[in-house]
Amino acid sequence: MRGLIALKPRNAAAAGKDFPYGLPTTCFIEVSSDGSVSQGIDVQAYERAVEGTSRLFAVWPGTYSSDLFAIDDLDAYARAVGIVHDQERTGLAEHEHQIRWQPADLDSNGHGTYIYVVVHFECGCAIRDLRAFADQMRAQRGWDVATSSGWSGSGDRFTVRVRRRSLSA
Ligand SMILES: [Zn+2]
């Protein structure tokens, strides 16, 4: 009977920007220097890896087989999962956005909990990551942006859904 074959894991950095850090089915593993193994990576695990007291791995699930990768580029990982803000990935600078906004015509007379809002960036930003935009708008304006329903738009105009009461607050 064959046992486990220990292969040297591939490096996630070699997979470049395509590495699916954000894929919900990607399995993350932390191996501490004392040999303990745990599944999942939180901010504390990331910080331990930066300090060098643990190493991080990810299993990239494939259709027919899955591969183990060593997360060798911790900066890329941190940007990809939002531990470190990534302007290129999110389209959003880390600043107070200069925006104009108005309710979208399509439901301005509605009474739903959430309404569509057209956001016009005057600061040159764009929305490429709705969760990052929602986090920033919560902090900057108290907006409660719905992250489950996606967004639309391009250039400097985007349509998002925002909880009505958070707009008037
Ligand atoms: Zn901006």
mmCIF file of all heavy atoms in Angstrom, residues 62-112:
data_model
loop_
_atom_site.group_PDB
_atom_site.id
_atom_site.type_symbol
_atom_site.label_atom_id
_atom_site.label_comp_id
_atom_site.label_asym_id
_atom_site.label_seq_id
_atom_site.Cartn_x
_atom_site.Cartn_y
_atom_site.Cartn_z
ATOM 1 N N GLY A 62 -9.331 21.786 -8.728
ATOM 2 C CA GLY A 62 -9.512 21.612 -10.158
ATOM 3 C C GLY A 62 -10.648 20.652 -10.427
ATOM 4 O O GLY A 62 -11.236 20.076 -9.516
ATOM 5 N N THR A 63 -10.961 20.476 -11.676
ATOM 6 C CA THR A 63 -12.064 19.597 -12.039
ATOM 7 C C THR A 63 -11.682 18.134 -11.824
ATOM 8 O O THR A 63 -12.471 17.346 -11.314
ATOM 9 C CB THR A 63 -12.437 19.817 -13.514
ATOM 10 O OG1 THR A 63 -12.689 21.203 -13.713
ATOM 11 C CG2 THR A 63 -13.693 19.025 -13.864
ATOM 12 N N TYR A 64 -10.456 17.793 -12.163
ATOM 13 C CA TYR A 64 -10.045 16.393 -12.091
ATOM 14 C C TYR A 64 -9.019 16.137 -10.998
ATOM 15 O O TYR A 64 -8.877 15.011 -10.538
ATOM 16 C CB TYR A 64 -9.481 15.937 -13.439
ATOM 17 C CG TYR A 64 -10.503 16.092 -14.543
ATOM 18 C CD1 TYR A 64 -10.387 17.109 -15.478
ATOM 19 C CD2 TYR A 64 -11.597 15.227 -14.621
ATOM 20 C CE1 TYR A 64 -11.327 17.260 -16.480
ATOM 21 C CE2 TYR A 64 -12.548 15.382 -15.606
ATOM 22 C CZ TYR A 64 -12.416 16.398 -16.535
ATOM 23 O OH TYR A 64 -13.359 16.559 -17.512
ATOM 24 N N SER A 65 -8.315 17.191 -10.619
ATOM 25 C CA SER A 65 -7.361 17.046 -9.530
ATOM 26 C C SER A 65 -7.172 18.419 -8.908
ATOM 27 O O SER A 65 -7.549 19.427 -9.489
ATOM 28 C CB SER A 65 -6.020 16.506 -10.044
ATOM 29 O OG SER A 65 -5.395 17.481 -10.855
ATOM 30 N N SER A 66 -6.637 18.420 -7.720
ATOM 31 C CA SER A 66 -6.383 19.683 -7.037
ATOM 32 C C SER A 66 -4.908 19.765 -6.698
ATOM 33 O O SER A 66 -4.276 18.757 -6.405
ATOM 34 C CB SER A 66 -7.224 19.791 -5.763
ATOM 35 O OG SER A 66 -8.597 19.777 -6.088
ATOM 36 N N ASP A 67 -4.377 20.943 -6.735
ATOM 37 C CA ASP A 67 -2.949 21.123 -6.502
ATOM 38 C C ASP A 67 -2.709 21.945 -5.248
ATOM 39 O O ASP A 67 -3.477 22.848 -4.923
ATOM 40 C CB ASP A 67 -2.292 21.825 -7.691
ATOM 41 C CG ASP A 67 -2.232 20.926 -8.912
ATOM 42 O OD1 ASP A 67 -1.776 19.775 -8.758
ATOM 43 O OD2 ASP A 67 -2.647 21.365 -9.991
ATOM 44 N N LEU A 68 -1.638 21.598 -4.576
ATOM 45 C CA LEU A 68 -1.235 22.333 -3.376
ATOM 46 C C LEU A 68 -0.216 23.396 -3.758
ATOM 47 O O LEU A 68 0.760 23.113 -4.460
ATOM 48 C CB LEU A 68 -0.633 21.368 -2.349
ATOM 49 C CG LEU A 68 -0.123 21.998 -1.054
ATOM 50 C CD1 LEU A 68 -1.264 22.608 -0.261
ATOM 51 C CD2 LEU A 68 0.613 20.953 -0.227
ATOM 52 N N PHE A 69 -0.468 24.610 -3.290
ATOM 53 C CA PHE A 69 0.444 25.719 -3.560
ATOM 54 C C PHE A 69 0.929 26.302 -2.248
ATOM 55 O O PHE A 69 0.154 26.447 -1.297
ATOM 56 C CB PHE A 69 -0.266 26.827 -4.350
ATOM 57 C CG PHE A 69 -0.512 26.488 -5.785
ATOM 58 C CD1 PHE A 69 -1.597 25.713 -6.154
ATOM 59 C CD2 PHE A 69 0.357 26.940 -6.771
ATOM 60 C CE1 PHE A 69 -1.823 25.400 -7.479
ATOM 61 C CE2 PHE A 69 0.133 26.634 -8.096
ATOM 62 C CZ PHE A 69 -0.960 25.860 -8.458
ATOM 63 N N ALA A 70 2.210 26.664 -2.224
ATOM 64 C CA ALA A 70 2.728 27.458 -1.114
ATOM 65 C C ALA A 70 2.451 28.921 -1.420
ATOM 66 O O ALA A 70 2.711 29.386 -2.522
ATOM 67 C CB ALA A 70 4.230 27.225 -0.953
ATOM 68 N N ILE A 71 1.869 29.622 -0.455
ATOM 69 C CA ILE A 71 1.624 31.051 -0.641
ATOM 70 C C ILE A 71 2.921 31.763 -0.326
ATOM 71 O O ILE A 71 3.222 32.087 0.821
ATOM 72 C CB ILE A 71 0.461 31.539 0.240
ATOM 73 C CG1 ILE A 71 -0.820 30.764 -0.124
ATOM 74 C CG2 ILE A 71 0.239 33.035 0.065
ATOM 75 C CD1 ILE A 71 -2.010 31.117 0.731
ATOM 76 N N ASP A 72 3.704 31.956 -1.364
ATOM 77 C CA ASP A 72 5.047 32.506 -1.190
ATOM 78 C C ASP A 72 5.052 34.018 -1.290
ATOM 79 O O ASP A 72 5.942 34.670 -0.787
ATOM 80 C CB ASP A 72 6.002 31.901 -2.218
ATOM 81 C CG ASP A 72 5.417 31.933 -3.621
ATOM 82 O OD1 ASP A 72 4.184 32.049 -3.748
ATOM 83 O OD2 ASP A 72 6.183 31.846 -4.582
ATOM 84 N N ASP A 73 4.040 34.591 -1.940
ATOM 85 C CA ASP A 73 3.964 36.044 -2.070
ATOM 86 C C ASP A 73 2.853 36.537 -1.141
ATOM 87 O O ASP A 73 1.687 36.595 -1.521
ATOM 88 C CB ASP A 73 3.691 36.430 -3.525
ATOM 89 C CG ASP A 73 3.760 37.938 -3.738
ATOM 90 O OD1 ASP A 73 3.670 38.668 -2.732
ATOM 91 O OD2 ASP A 73 3.890 38.369 -4.885
ATOM 92 N N LEU A 74 3.236 36.849 0.096
ATOM 93 C CA LEU A 74 2.226 37.234 1.091
ATOM 94 C C LEU A 74 1.583 38.568 0.745
ATOM 95 O O LEU A 74 0.424 38.810 1.083
ATOM 96 C CB LEU A 74 2.866 37.280 2.481
ATOM 97 C CG LEU A 74 3.261 35.911 3.043
ATOM 98 C CD1 LEU A 74 4.125 36.073 4.279
ATOM 99 C CD2 LEU A 74 2.026 35.074 3.354
ATOM 100 N N ASP A 75 2.321 39.440 0.062
ATOM 101 C CA ASP A 75 1.740 40.726 -0.333
ATOM 102 C C ASP A 75 0.611 40.507 -1.328
ATOM 103 O O ASP A 75 -0.459 41.123 -1.227
ATOM 104 C CB ASP A 75 2.808 41.628 -0.956
ATOM 105 C CG ASP A 75 3.805 42.125 0.073
ATOM 106 O OD1 ASP A 75 3.463 42.112 1.268
ATOM 107 O OD2 ASP A 75 4.907 42.518 -0.321
ATOM 108 N N ALA A 76 0.837 39.626 -2.293
ATOM 109 C CA ALA A 76 -0.195 39.357 -3.295
ATOM 110 C C ALA A 76 -1.424 38.753 -2.632
ATOM 111 O O ALA A 76 -2.562 39.106 -2.954
ATOM 112 C CB ALA A 76 0.349 38.414 -4.372
ATOM 113 N N TYR A 77 -1.178 37.832 -1.678
ATOM 114 C CA TYR A 77 -2.297 37.229 -0.958
ATOM 115 C C TYR A 77 -3.083 38.306 -0.206
ATOM 116 O O TYR A 77 -4.325 38.359 -0.268
ATOM 117 C CB TYR A 77 -1.781 36.165 0.011
ATOM 118 C CG TYR A 77 -2.832 35.716 0.987
ATOM 119 C CD1 TYR A 77 -3.821 34.826 0.588
ATOM 120 C CD2 TYR A 77 -2.857 36.223 2.284
ATOM 121 C CE1 TYR A 77 -4.816 34.447 1.474
ATOM 122 C CE2 TYR A 77 -3.838 35.845 3.168
ATOM 123 C CZ TYR A 77 -4.815 34.954 2.763
ATOM 124 O OH TYR A 77 -5.802 34.595 3.639
ATOM 125 N N ALA A 78 -2.372 39.179 0.501
ATOM 126 C CA ALA A 78 -3.033 40.192 1.334
ATOM 127 C C ALA A 78 -3.860 41.142 0.470
ATOM 128 O O ALA A 78 -4.954 41.551 0.860
ATOM 129 C CB ALA A 78 -1.989 40.963 2.140
ATOM 130 N N ARG A 79 -3.347 41.489 -0.697
ATOM 131 C CA ARG A 79 -4.113 42.374 -1.582
ATOM 132 C C ARG A 79 -5.334 41.656 -2.128
ATOM 133 O O ARG A 79 -6.419 42.233 -2.225
ATOM 134 C CB ARG A 79 -3.236 42.877 -2.736
ATOM 135 C CG ARG A 79 -2.232 43.942 -2.345
ATOM 136 C CD ARG A 79 -1.626 44.591 -3.579
ATOM 137 N NE ARG A 79 -0.963 43.639 -4.459
ATOM 138 C CZ ARG A 79 0.297 43.268 -4.333
ATOM 139 N NH1 ARG A 79 1.047 43.773 -3.377
ATOM 140 N NH2 ARG A 79 0.826 42.389 -5.167
ATOM 141 N N ALA A 80 -5.152 40.372 -2.469
ATOM 142 C CA ALA A 80 -6.235 39.630 -3.105
ATOM 143 C C ALA A 80 -7.413 39.409 -2.166
ATOM 144 O O ALA A 80 -8.563 39.409 -2.597
ATOM 145 C CB ALA A 80 -5.709 38.283 -3.624
ATOM 146 N N VAL A 81 -7.130 39.218 -0.883
ATOM 147 C CA VAL A 81 -8.223 38.930 0.054
ATOM 148 C C VAL A 81 -8.632 40.162 0.844
ATOM 149 O O VAL A 81 -9.498 40.082 1.700
ATOM 150 C CB VAL A 81 -7.869 37.773 1.013
ATOM 151 C CG1 VAL A 81 -7.574 36.509 0.225
ATOM 152 C CG2 VAL A 81 -6.700 38.137 1.905
ATOM 153 N N GLY A 82 -8.007 41.310 0.554
ATOM 154 C CA GLY A 82 -8.464 42.546 1.169
ATOM 155 C C GLY A 82 -7.811 42.883 2.494
ATOM 156 O O GLY A 82 -8.223 43.839 3.141
ATOM 157 N N ILE A 83 -6.799 42.098 2.937
ATOM 158 C CA ILE A 83 -6.091 42.466 4.168
ATOM 159 C C ILE A 83 -5.346 43.778 3.935
ATOM 160 O O ILE A 83 -5.275 44.639 4.788
ATOM 161 C CB ILE A 83 -5.116 41.339 4.596
ATOM 162 C CG1 ILE A 83 -5.904 40.085 4.998
ATOM 163 C CG2 ILE A 83 -4.224 41.805 5.736
ATOM 164 C CD1 ILE A 83 -5.038 38.887 5.318
ATOM 165 N N VAL A 84 -4.792 43.911 2.736
ATOM 166 C CA VAL A 84 -4.152 45.154 2.327
ATOM 167 C C VAL A 84 -4.950 45.706 1.153
ATOM 168 O O VAL A 84 -5.299 44.963 0.229
ATOM 169 C CB VAL A 84 -2.680 44.908 1.909
ATOM 170 C CG1 VAL A 84 -2.072 46.168 1.311
ATOM 171 C CG2 VAL A 84 -1.873 44.444 3.097
ATOM 172 N N HIS A 85 -5.261 46.982 1.206
ATOM 173 C CA HIS A 85 -6.063 47.583 0.142
ATOM 174 C C HIS A 85 -5.281 47.543 -1.177
ATOM 175 O O HIS A 85 -4.108 47.853 -1.231
ATOM 176 C CB HIS A 85 -6.422 49.018 0.493
ATOM 177 C CG HIS A 85 -7.308 49.649 -0.537
ATOM 178 N ND1 HIS A 85 -8.650 49.368 -0.623
ATOM 179 C CD2 HIS A 85 -7.042 50.519 -1.544
ATOM 180 C CE1 HIS A 85 -9.173 50.053 -1.622
ATOM 181 N NE2 HIS A 85 -8.224 50.762 -2.198
ATOM 182 N N ASP A 86 -5.962 47.146 -2.245
ATOM 183 C CA ASP A 86 -5.334 47.039 -3.560
ATOM 184 C C ASP A 86 -6.095 47.933 -4.531
ATOM 185 O O ASP A 86 -7.176 47.592 -4.987
ATOM 186 C CB ASP A 86 -5.368 45.584 -4.031
ATOM 187 C CG ASP A 86 -4.672 45.407 -5.373
ATOM 188 O OD1 ASP A 86 -4.216 46.403 -5.964
ATOM 189 O OD2 ASP A 86 -4.591 44.255 -5.834
ATOM 190 N N GLN A 87 -5.511 49.071 -4.849
ATOM 191 C CA GLN A 87 -6.190 50.030 -5.718
ATOM 192 C C GLN A 87 -6.405 49.463 -7.111
ATOM 193 O O GLN A 87 -7.448 49.683 -7.730
ATOM 194 C CB GLN A 87 -5.376 51.327 -5.785
ATOM 195 C CG GLN A 87 -6.058 52.406 -6.628
ATOM 196 C CD GLN A 87 -5.389 53.751 -6.481
ATOM 197 O OE1 GLN A 87 -4.611 53.965 -5.558
ATOM 198 N NE2 GLN A 87 -5.693 54.653 -7.384
ATOM 199 N N GLU A 88 -5.421 48.718 -7.603
ATOM 200 C CA GLU A 88 -5.551 48.190 -8.963
ATOM 201 C C GLU A 88 -6.685 47.178 -9.056
ATOM 202 O O GLU A 88 -7.489 47.194 -9.988
ATOM 203 C CB GLU A 88 -4.229 47.553 -9.405
ATOM 204 C CG GLU A 88 -4.216 47.209 -10.879
ATOM 205 C CD GLU A 88 -2.996 46.369 -11.252
ATOM 206 O OE1 GLU A 88 -2.190 46.023 -10.373
ATOM 207 O OE2 GLU A 88 -2.877 46.057 -12.434
ATOM 208 N N ARG A 89 -6.775 46.286 -8.066
ATOM 209 C CA ARG A 89 -7.794 45.238 -8.116
ATOM 210 C C ARG A 89 -9.189 45.800 -7.862
ATOM 211 O O ARG A 89 -10.158 45.411 -8.507
ATOM 212 C CB ARG A 89 -7.480 44.144 -7.084
ATOM 213 C CG ARG A 89 -8.462 42.981 -7.099
ATOM 214 C CD ARG A 89 -8.109 41.953 -6.045
ATOM 215 N NE ARG A 89 -8.218 42.474 -4.697
ATOM 216 C CZ ARG A 89 -9.355 42.560 -4.002
ATOM 217 N NH1 ARG A 89 -10.495 42.149 -4.540
ATOM 218 N NH2 ARG A 89 -9.372 43.050 -2.789
ATOM 219 N N THR A 90 -9.305 46.729 -6.925
ATOM 220 C CA THR A 90 -10.632 47.211 -6.543
ATOM 221 C C THR A 90 -11.092 48.394 -7.378
ATOM 222 O O THR A 90 -12.282 48.699 -7.413
ATOM 223 C CB THR A 90 -10.642 47.641 -5.063
ATOM 224 O OG1 THR A 90 -9.729 48.727 -4.890
ATOM 225 C CG2 THR A 90 -10.241 46.491 -4.154
ATOM 226 N N GLY A 91 -10.139 49.092 -8.041
ATOM 227 C CA GLY A 91 -10.490 50.299 -8.781
ATOM 228 C C GLY A 91 -10.661 51.511 -7.886
ATOM 229 O O GLY A 91 -10.997 52.592 -8.367
ATOM 230 N N LEU A 92 -10.441 51.317 -6.590
ATOM 231 C CA LEU A 92 -10.751 52.350 -5.603
ATOM 232 C C LEU A 92 -9.485 52.821 -4.899
ATOM 233 O O LEU A 92 -8.762 52.007 -4.325
ATOM 234 C CB LEU A 92 -11.727 51.789 -4.561
ATOM 235 C CG LEU A 92 -13.063 51.309 -5.127
ATOM 236 C CD1 LEU A 92 -13.709 50.314 -4.182
ATOM 237 C CD2 LEU A 92 -13.988 52.491 -5.379
ATOM 238 N N ALA A 93 -9.239 54.120 -4.977
ATOM 239 C CA ALA A 93 -8.126 54.668 -4.207
ATOM 240 C C ALA A 93 -8.506 54.659 -2.731
ATOM 241 O O ALA A 93 -9.685 54.608 -2.380
ATOM 242 C CB ALA A 93 -7.816 56.087 -4.666
ATOM 243 N N GLU A 94 -7.484 54.669 -1.891
ATOM 244 C CA GLU A 94 -7.738 54.698 -0.453
ATOM 245 C C GLU A 94 -7.792 56.156 -0.018
ATOM 246 O O GLU A 94 -6.832 56.718 0.522
ATOM 247 C CB GLU A 94 -6.633 53.929 0.289
ATOM 248 C CG GLU A 94 -7.083 53.411 1.637
ATOM 249 C CD GLU A 94 -6.134 52.369 2.187
ATOM 250 O OE1 GLU A 94 -4.954 52.391 1.813
ATOM 251 O OE2 GLU A 94 -6.588 51.536 2.998
ATOM 252 N N HIS A 95 -8.902 56.806 -0.318
ATOM 253 C CA HIS A 95 -9.072 58.213 0.041
ATOM 254 C C HIS A 95 -10.575 58.475 0.205
ATOM 255 O O HIS A 95 -11.400 57.587 0.006
ATOM 256 C CB HIS A 95 -8.464 59.131 -1.027
ATOM 257 C CG HIS A 95 -9.116 59.020 -2.378
ATOM 258 N ND1 HIS A 95 -8.603 59.609 -3.513
ATOM 259 C CD2 HIS A 95 -10.243 58.380 -2.802
ATOM 260 C CE1 HIS A 95 -9.390 59.348 -4.548
ATOM 261 N NE2 HIS A 95 -10.382 58.609 -4.148
ATOM 262 N N GLU A 96 -10.895 59.689 0.583
ATOM 263 C CA GLU A 96 -12.301 60.094 0.675
ATOM 264 C C GLU A 96 -12.784 60.328 -0.748
ATOM 265 O O GLU A 96 -12.312 61.247 -1.426
ATOM 266 C CB GLU A 96 -12.395 61.381 1.504
ATOM 267 C CG GLU A 96 -13.788 61.734 1.939
ATOM 268 C CD GLU A 96 -14.170 61.087 3.270
ATOM 269 O OE1 GLU A 96 -13.278 60.552 3.964
ATOM 270 O OE2 GLU A 96 -15.362 61.113 3.602
ATOM 271 N N HIS A 97 -13.709 59.507 -1.213
ATOM 272 C CA HIS A 97 -14.140 59.638 -2.608
ATOM 273 C C HIS A 97 -14.924 60.923 -2.822
ATOM 274 O O HIS A 97 -15.736 61.317 -1.989
ATOM 275 C CB HIS A 97 -15.017 58.453 -3.009
ATOM 276 C CG HIS A 97 -14.308 57.149 -2.964
ATOM 277 N ND1 HIS A 97 -13.211 56.868 -3.744
ATOM 278 C CD2 HIS A 97 -14.523 56.051 -2.207
ATOM 279 C CE1 HIS A 97 -12.776 55.654 -3.475
ATOM 280 N NE2 HIS A 97 -13.551 55.137 -2.541
ATOM 281 N N GLN A 98 -14.659 61.553 -3.951
ATOM 282 C CA GLN A 98 -15.460 62.698 -4.390
ATOM 283 C C GLN A 98 -16.518 62.148 -5.333
ATOM 284 O O GLN A 98 -16.186 61.738 -6.441
ATOM 285 C CB GLN A 98 -14.572 63.727 -5.106
ATOM 286 C CG GLN A 98 -13.434 64.270 -4.242
ATOM 287 C CD GLN A 98 -13.930 64.992 -3.007
ATOM 288 O OE1 GLN A 98 -14.865 65.796 -3.088
ATOM 289 N NE2 GLN A 98 -13.325 64.695 -1.862
ATOM 290 N N ILE A 99 -17.756 62.096 -4.865
ATOM 291 C CA ILE A 99 -18.802 61.524 -5.715
ATOM 292 C C ILE A 99 -20.019 62.439 -5.762
ATOM 293 O O ILE A 99 -20.246 63.260 -4.877
ATOM 294 C CB ILE A 99 -19.264 60.130 -5.207
ATOM 295 C CG1 ILE A 99 -19.871 60.228 -3.805
ATOM 296 C CG2 ILE A 99 -18.143 59.123 -5.252
ATOM 297 C CD1 ILE A 99 -20.652 58.988 -3.397
ATOM 298 N N ARG A 100 -20.756 62.297 -6.851
ATOM 299 C CA ARG A 100 -22.121 62.793 -6.916
ATOM 300 C C ARG A 100 -23.004 61.558 -7.044
ATOM 301 O O ARG A 100 -22.587 60.568 -7.655
ATOM 302 C CB ARG A 100 -22.315 63.715 -8.127
ATOM 303 C CG ARG A 100 -21.722 65.099 -7.934
ATOM 304 C CD ARG A 100 -22.087 66.034 -9.080
ATOM 305 N NE ARG A 100 -21.310 65.741 -10.264
ATOM 306 C CZ ARG A 100 -21.855 65.373 -11.433
ATOM 307 N NH1 ARG A 100 -23.162 65.261 -11.558
ATOM 308 N NH2 ARG A 100 -21.095 65.125 -12.475
ATOM 309 N N TRP A 101 -24.173 61.597 -6.460
ATOM 310 C CA TRP A 101 -25.051 60.434 -6.570
ATOM 311 C C TRP A 101 -26.498 60.884 -6.627
ATOM 312 O O TRP A 101 -26.846 61.974 -6.179
ATOM 313 C CB TRP A 101 -24.827 59.467 -5.410
ATOM 314 C CG TRP A 101 -25.209 60.018 -4.068
ATOM 315 C CD1 TRP A 101 -24.421 60.730 -3.208
ATOM 316 C CD2 TRP A 101 -26.488 59.904 -3.435
ATOM 317 N NE1 TRP A 101 -25.127 61.062 -2.081
ATOM 318 C CE2 TRP A 101 -26.409 60.580 -2.186
ATOM 319 C CE3 TRP A 101 -27.692 59.299 -3.790
ATOM 320 C CZ2 TRP A 101 -27.477 60.657 -1.308
ATOM 321 C CZ3 TRP A 101 -28.764 59.385 -2.909
ATOM 322 C CH2 TRP A 101 -28.645 60.050 -1.691
ATOM 323 N N GLN A 102 -27.305 60.031 -7.215
ATOM 324 C CA GLN A 102 -28.741 60.287 -7.234
ATOM 325 C C GLN A 102 -29.449 58.946 -7.320
ATOM 326 O O GLN A 102 -28.860 57.980 -7.818
ATOM 327 C CB GLN A 102 -29.132 61.160 -8.438
ATOM 328 C CG GLN A 102 -29.093 60.438 -9.751
ATOM 329 C CD GLN A 102 -28.302 61.206 -10.816
ATOM 330 O OE1 GLN A 102 -27.389 61.974 -10.522
ATOM 331 N NE2 GLN A 102 -28.648 60.979 -12.054
ATOM 332 N N PRO A 103 -30.690 58.891 -6.862
ATOM 333 C CA PRO A 103 -31.450 57.647 -7.023
ATOM 334 C C PRO A 103 -31.620 57.347 -8.511
ATOM 335 O O PRO A 103 -31.836 58.264 -9.310
ATOM 336 C CB PRO A 103 -32.797 57.948 -6.363
ATOM 337 C CG PRO A 103 -32.550 59.123 -5.469
ATOM 338 C CD PRO A 103 -31.459 59.918 -6.124
ATOM 339 N N ALA A 104 -31.485 56.085 -8.876
ATOM 340 C CA ALA A 104 -31.707 55.713 -10.270
ATOM 341 C C ALA A 104 -33.190 55.870 -10.608
ATOM 342 O O ALA A 104 -34.051 55.674 -9.754
ATOM 343 C CB ALA A 104 -31.264 54.272 -10.504
ATOM 344 N N ASP A 105 -33.461 56.228 -11.864
ATOM 345 C CA ASP A 105 -34.849 56.481 -12.256
ATOM 346 C C ASP A 105 -35.736 55.262 -12.063
ATOM 347 O O ASP A 105 -36.913 55.379 -11.792
ATOM 348 C CB ASP A 105 -34.914 56.886 -13.730
ATOM 349 C CG ASP A 105 -34.298 58.259 -13.934
ATOM 350 O OD1 ASP A 105 -34.212 59.005 -12.937
ATOM 351 O OD2 ASP A 105 -33.885 58.559 -15.061
ATOM 352 N N LEU A 106 -35.109 54.076 -12.193
ATOM 353 C CA LEU A 106 -35.956 52.905 -12.306
ATOM 354 C C LEU A 106 -36.781 52.601 -11.063
ATOM 355 O O LEU A 106 -37.796 51.929 -11.172
ATOM 356 C CB LEU A 106 -35.154 51.662 -12.717
ATOM 357 C CG LEU A 106 -33.874 51.320 -11.961
ATOM 358 C CD1 LEU A 106 -33.843 49.833 -11.646
ATOM 359 C CD2 LEU A 106 -32.664 51.622 -12.837
ATOM 360 N N ASP A 107 -36.397 53.121 -9.915
ATOM 361 C CA ASP A 107 -37.271 52.852 -8.772
ATOM 362 C C ASP A 107 -37.303 54.031 -7.797
ATOM 363 O O ASP A 107 -37.477 53.860 -6.605
ATOM 364 C CB ASP A 107 -36.855 51.574 -8.044
ATOM 365 C CG ASP A 107 -35.505 51.722 -7.384
ATOM 366 O OD1 ASP A 107 -34.852 52.762 -7.576
ATOM 367 O OD2 ASP A 107 -35.099 50.798 -6.675
ATOM 368 N N SER A 108 -37.155 55.234 -8.318
ATOM 369 C CA SER A 108 -37.086 56.377 -7.404
ATOM 370 C C SER A 108 -38.393 56.575 -6.634
ATOM 371 O O SER A 108 -38.403 57.230 -5.593
ATOM 372 C CB SER A 108 -36.740 57.648 -8.178
ATOM 373 O OG SER A 108 -37.657 57.851 -9.225
ATOM 374 N N ASN A 109 -39.497 56.021 -7.156
ATOM 375 C CA ASN A 109 -40.769 56.155 -6.454
ATOM 376 C C ASN A 109 -41.102 54.923 -5.614
ATOM 377 O O ASN A 109 -42.184 54.837 -5.050
ATOM 378 C CB ASN A 109 -41.914 56.404 -7.448
ATOM 379 C CG ASN A 109 -41.722 57.745 -8.157
ATOM 380 O OD1 ASN A 109 -41.344 58.722 -7.544
ATOM 381 N ND2 ASN A 109 -41.966 57.754 -9.452
ATOM 382 N N GLY A 110 -40.166 53.985 -5.576
ATOM 383 C CA GLY A 110 -40.453 52.759 -4.843
ATOM 384 C C GLY A 110 -40.330 52.954 -3.348
ATOM 385 O O GLY A 110 -39.917 54.000 -2.858
ATOM 386 N N HIS A 111 -40.739 51.952 -2.632
ATOM 387 C CA HIS A 111 -40.677 52.043 -1.178
ATOM 388 C C HIS A 111 -39.903 50.874 -0.586
ATOM 389 O O HIS A 111 -40.087 50.542 0.560
ATOM 390 C CB HIS A 111 -42.097 52.090 -0.597
ATOM 391 C CG HIS A 111 -42.859 53.296 -1.052
ATOM 392 N ND1 HIS A 111 -42.640 54.551 -0.528
ATOM 393 C CD2 HIS A 111 -43.794 53.432 -2.015
ATOM 394 C CE1 HIS A 111 -43.425 55.421 -1.134
ATOM 395 N NE2 HIS A 111 -44.137 54.774 -2.040
ATOM 396 N N GLY A 112 -39.065 50.228 -1.408
ATOM 397 C CA GLY A 112 -38.319 49.081 -0.925
ATOM 398 C C GLY A 112 -37.255 49.491 0.082
ATOM 399 O O GLY A 112 -36.913 50.668 0.222
#
